[in-house]
Amino acid sequence: MDQSSGHRKIALEEHFMMPEFVDYWSRTAINISPGLFGKVRNTLEDFGELRLTGMERNNIEKAVLSLAGPGVQAETNTATAVKMAKICNEYLAEQISTQPGRYAGFAHLALQDPLAAADELERCVKQLGFCGAMINGQTNGAYLDDDRFSIVWERASDLDVPIYIHPNNPADVPYMYNNHPELFGPVWSWTVETGNHALRILFSGVFDRYPKAKLILGHMGETLPYQLWRFDSRWLISNRGDMTLDMKPSDYFKRNIYATTAGVCSDEPLRCAMDAMGPDRVMFSVDYPFEKIDEAGGWIDSAKLTEEERTMVCYQNAKTLLRL
Ligand code: MN
């Protein structure tokens, strides 16, 4: 660790790949430049020198690993999805066991079968020591506000582990992206899709039914922290007159929702997320290997924060939430 510099860190949107899942992952190739795709595969599949030296250079003591999406959420056969999710989690557990001090894991779940997904989450947490689950957006067009997924929220709440919603494409391509492929993907549509997913969950009352539920969003909260006042003000006059919530929309961001810095290395949205949600709800992440680990590490080390805030964002908030 003598090469390392900067604040000690935990990072929690850090991806891997295994050969059996490359076909699912290849479907996201429509969103990114063809050159990038081949280049990152080696980095994704590495659990050794490449990953560990980058972590050491940036004093990232622990990386919580997750499969690069969409994984089995793109699988049309439910039985195959359930089987493949287990294969993924077993493989991840095996990799973590080679570096137990440095790696932790988020479970990969086949939401096509909600009960199986809940059971697999419990198995991953209790038997494999995972920290929660990462869900790659919609599954066959269904979002986590759907009643069928209540069992997953219930189980996650009982286990007291977070669900991290990672971007994926919507089930169809809305006309608003017509003739603008650059907007369909990480530049913009993933933010819209993932922010919308979180709001569906909030406004459907999932957090009233499961007050202990914990939801993590990457990308500094997918722009939602910027909008909290407007959510509070406008939902009261929305066209859902029948809708009731126990609290103001913004209150759920302070009780149930967390954000990571994954894929956003910029002071202004960091300040906004911390002020809007609370300094205890924002956590450093890289989005490795899609984001440069040295850029993310160097940025947070010199971001305009008090040293107390930097400790919280870099390390303490994740340690507390994930019980690392
Ligand atoms: Mn990511």
Side-chain angles (χ1 to χ4, degrees), residues 30-32 169-170 172-174 177 180-190:
I30 60 166
N31 298 116
I32 53 178
N169 288 329
D172 59 0
V173 183
Y177 302 115
H180 282 273
E182 78 285 0
L183 297 181
F184 194 66
V187 169
W188 183 236
S189 77
W190 287 357

Side-chain angles (χ1 to χ4, degrees), residues 12 24 50 55 177:
L12 53 153
Y24 298 127
L50 211 51
M55 288 170 62
Y177 302 115

Side-chain angles (χ1 to χ4, degrees), residues 13 15 166-167 219 287 290:
E13 191 187 312
H15 301 300
H166 189 274
H219 315 105
D287 198 4
F290 303 105

Side-chain angles (χ1 to χ4, degrees), residues 18 20-21 82-92:
M18 53 192 288
E20 294 89 329
F21 288 81
V82 170
K83 185 187 77 182
M84 293 295 284
K86 274 190 205 301
I87 290 172
C88 172
N89 293 325
E90 286 302 317
Y91 181 76
L92 177 55

Side-chain angles (χ1 to χ4, degrees), residues 299-317:
W299 163 67
I300 199 68
D301 282 333
S302 59
K304 286 184 221 116
L305 295 171
T306 66
E307 284 317 295
E308 189 188 355
E309 287 173 332
R310 200 180 321 278
T311 299
M312 293 174 85
V313 171
C314 286
Y315 187 82
Q316 193 57 47
N317 293 343

